[in-house]
């Protein structure tokens, strides 16, 4: 997805940003007026700490720092026009863990009850051939259905077990 919306629609805009340390990325889906500045603030904040820039902090630990920073930024927003619009915002953060020696990916979503962003920790692992997947945005379920259909056509019914139970419940 490369469309940002506000008072207008603008196609071909990046929503995925590699961070300065180049082994991880962050992306967003949701209200551009809210999520985009938050993502950019996080991007610049991560570039200021030498432990992060030099990769001395593993991605697993960095994950906690990113989530904490997003929640701090969210708490600083004044005069929120629509509290409900917060729940439409999601972020993906992922990268390579040199400690665990594999790729990690987290989805941050807004918990209306707690009034904070949380990570869901769900990573949908197909098998060694397909790796992990996490999808966000208003077309996530449509994409997952299409992916399921394509994989069924190419690999047969055996990939429709719980390993490929990728339809989100939220």
């Amino acid at each position: 997805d490369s469309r940002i919306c506000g008072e207008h629609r603008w196609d071909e805009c990046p929503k995925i940003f590699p961070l300065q340390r180049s082994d991880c990325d962050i992306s967003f889906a949701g209200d551009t007026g809210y999520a985009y500045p938050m993502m950019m603030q996080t991007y610049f904040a991560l570039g200021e700490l030498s432990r992060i820039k030099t990769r001395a902090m593993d991605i697993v630990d960095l994950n906690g720092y990113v989530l904490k920073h997003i929640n701090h930024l969210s708490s600083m927003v004044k005069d929120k026009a629509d509290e409900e619009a917060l729940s439409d915002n999601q972020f993906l953060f992922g990268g390579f863990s040199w400690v665990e020696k594999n790729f990690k990916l987290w989805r941050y979503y807004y918990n209306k009850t707690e009034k904070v962003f949380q990570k869901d920790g769900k990573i949908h692992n197909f098998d060694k051939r397909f790796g992990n997947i996490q999808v966000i945005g208003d077309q996530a379920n449509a994409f997952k259905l299409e992916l399921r259909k394509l994989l069924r056509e190419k690999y047969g019914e055996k990939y429709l077990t719980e390993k490929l139970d990728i339809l989100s419940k939220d």
Side-chain angles (χ1 to χ4, degrees), residues 8-167:
H8 56 277
R9 295 192 185 281
W10 190 4
D11 288 340
E12 300 179 21
C13 295
K15 289 179 139 180
I16 301 172
F17 288 85
L19 299 177
Q20 290 94 324
R21 62 189 264 160
S22 76
D23 67 340
C24 55
D25 295 338
I26 190 167
S27 65
F28 78 95
D31 182 338
T32 302
Y34 183 86
Y36 186 81
M38 184 172 292
M39 189 178 71
M40 293 308 296
Q41 288 289 347
T42 302
Y43 171 86
F44 288 115
L46 295 178
E48 295 298 315
L49 299 172
S50 65
R51 229 179 131 226
I52 293 172
K53 283 194 311 190
T54 63
R55 300 182 191 185
M57 182 184 288
D58 185 63
I59 190 80
V60 174
D61 296 323
L62 183 55
N63 165 51
Y65 180 84
V66 170
L67 184 58
K68 183 178 176 181
H69 190 72
I70 286 173
N71 277 311
H72 170 74
L73 290 170
S74 181
S75 72
M76 295 289 102
V77 175
K78 306 296 182 214
D79 302 322
K80 294 175 185 158
D82 182 3
E83 281 287 335
E84 287 297 310
L86 285 175
S87 62
D88 293 337
N89 294 292
Q90 299 176 60
F91 299 90
L92 284 180
F93 175 69
F96 187 77
S97 168
W98 51 267
V99 171
E100 296 182 19
K101 302 208 179 346
N102 66 3
F103 183 77
K104 307 292 279 183
L105 184 64
W106 297 272
R107 178 180 73 106
Y108 306 143
Y109 67 97
Y110 190 75
N111 181 320
K112 292 183 203 180
T113 306
E114 301 290 324
K115 296 186 187 247
V116 295
F117 282 91
Q118 295 179 327
K119 61 182 176 183
D120 68 5
K122 296 179 215 168
I123 295 181
H124 306 284
N125 191 348
F126 296 155
D127 67 14
K128 292 184 189 311
R129 284 190 294 177
F130 299 120
N132 300 325
I133 185 171
Q134 186 63 271
V135 183
I136 60 175
D138 59 353
Q139 296 297 311
N141 281 337
F143 171 80
K144 292 174 189 179
L145 286 170
E146 183 66 21
L147 177 61
R148 181 184 285 261
K149 178 182 158 207
L150 292 171
L151 289 173
R152 181 188 302 125
E153 289 170 3
K154 185 164 183 163
Y155 297 104
E157 293 293 322
K158 68 181 179 176
Y159 287 98
L160 297 178
T161 65
E162 58 268 355
K163 276 187 157 188
L164 192 53
D165 184 16
I166 58 175
L167 290 178

